Amino acid sequence: MSEEENINTGENGFWSDENKKNRKPEKQPGVAGEILSWLAMVAIILAIIWALTHFVIVNARIPSGSMENTIMTGDRLIGTRFTYWFDGPKRGDIVLFHWPVDPDTIYIKRCIGLPGETVTIKQGKIYINDSKTPLNEDYLKEEWVTENDGYVFHVPKDCYLMLGDNRNNSQDSRYWAQVALDEGVANDEKDAQKYTYVKKSQIMARAWFRYKGGFKVLTNTAHYN
């Protein structure tokens, strides 16, 4: 036994009679102390969960079919808030955000247009700026036939254009200006245009993976042919 161990445990490696006399009995925690300790542990766990769900991740349930077949009605997913702390969405990201027309409503759509870009929708194809090549959107549910032509969007600074993957049944940036007018949120047609786009400050999180409805990583898949 080493000298250090003798110092810690008593001379010659065991407790002397004098040490035994001077040793105070350990206090056993009472029932009240155990309850307080348990409540403190629960409070700490709840505080951690609250911090995670309010600042780090989003746990969301999908209420509609606007993102089919990428995400189905009733699916549940996890989104990451921290993805956009220092940068904005990339084209193709699936994004959770506060709907511009009614910020209390949370939407999930795919980011198509980035700040400063011109996005043209022509015969069911999307063209960015002056590109002659359309985006390859192999994530679309089916052939896009509804409201698929004659749109030109000039995305403002610090804003994003959002569309659903189920283009034939998705309330997205194509419609929001008219909805703002119809619901009296916008004063006139010019004022209504600002509700077409999602501001950076309105974005909550990037969808990361689906855990109910079959595990699926929600990757960025928008690209040119």
Side-chain angles (χ1 to χ4, degrees):
M1 186 174 288
S2 67
E3 182 181 353
E4 182 181 1
E5 288 172 331
N6 284 331
I7 292 172
N8 289 335
T9 59
E11 188 177 355
N12 296 325
F14 56 86
W15 286 98
S16 65
D17 290 341
E18 189 65 27
N19 285 335
K20 289 178 182 179
K21 291 178 184 178
N22 295 331
R23 185 183 182 190
K24 294 182 180 179
E26 292 183 5
K27 269 192 170 184
Q28 297 298 322
V31 175
E34 288 184 359
I35 292 174
L36 286 175
S37 177
W38 183 82
L39 289 175
M41 180 179 66
V42 171
I44 292 170
I45 292 172
L46 290 176
I48 292 172
I49 293 173
W50 183 89
L52 285 173
T53 55
H54 283 75
F55 299 104
V56 182
I57 64 171
V58 172
N59 183 4
R61 179 184 177 277
I62 306 305
S64 72
S66 69
M67 284 297 293
E68 294 180 357
N69 286 327
T70 306
I71 310 170
M72 307 300 288
T73 304
D75 285 355
R76 297 196 71 99
L77 60 83
I78 295 294
T80 53
R81 296 177 185 270
F82 56 83
T83 300
Y84 301 136
W85 283 352
F86 305 108
D87 199 6
K90 304 293 189 296
R91 192 184 339 279
D93 283 2
I94 299 173
V95 181
L96 294 125
F97 55 90
H98 296 275
W99 185 32
V101 179
D102 178 10
D104 290 334
T105 302
I106 307 302
Y107 269 27
I108 181 168
K109 304 291 179 188
R110 192 179 294 272
C111 179
I112 298 298
L114 305 180
E117 290 184 338
T118 297
V119 179
T120 302
I121 299 176
K122 184 177 180 181
Q123 297 180 352
K125 301 292 183 182
I126 291 180
Y127 300 85
I128 306 298
N129 295 331
D130 297 323
S131 174
K132 303 299 181 184
T133 304
L135 289 181
N136 179 8
E137 298 190 285
D138 53 8
Y139 42 74
L140 296 186
K141 178 181 180 180
E142 57 195 4
E143 183 183 357
W144 180 11
V145 296
T146 302
E147 298 296 327
N148 70 345
D149 191 54
Y151 287 91
V152 179
F153 299 100
H154 301 286
V155 186
K157 179 182 178 182
D158 206 34
C159 291
Y160 300 85
L161 182 81
M162 304 289 186
L163 298 177
D165 287 0
N166 185 3
R167 298 280 161 81
N168 296 324
N169 187 24
S170 173
Q171 187 186 82
D172 49 39
S173 284
R174 293 170 292 170
Y175 304 104
W176 296 342
Q178 188 59 51
V179 173
L181 274 174
D182 293 344
E183 296 190 1
V185 176
N187 298 319
D188 50 43
E189 289 189 5
K190 183 177 179 181
D191 182 49
Q193 293 308 307
K194 67 185 181 183
Y195 295 97
T196 297
Y197 309 101
V198 177
K199 296 178 181 178
K200 175 67 164 57
S201 59
Q202 294 170 322
I203 291 173
M204 291 178 60
R206 175 184 176 273
W208 181 16
F209 65 87
R210 181 182 69 188
Y211 66 89
K212 183 179 179 182
F215 182 83
K216 181 180 183 180
V217 177
L218 301 171
T219 56
N220 181 326
T221 58
H223 57 276
Y224 291 101
N225 288 316

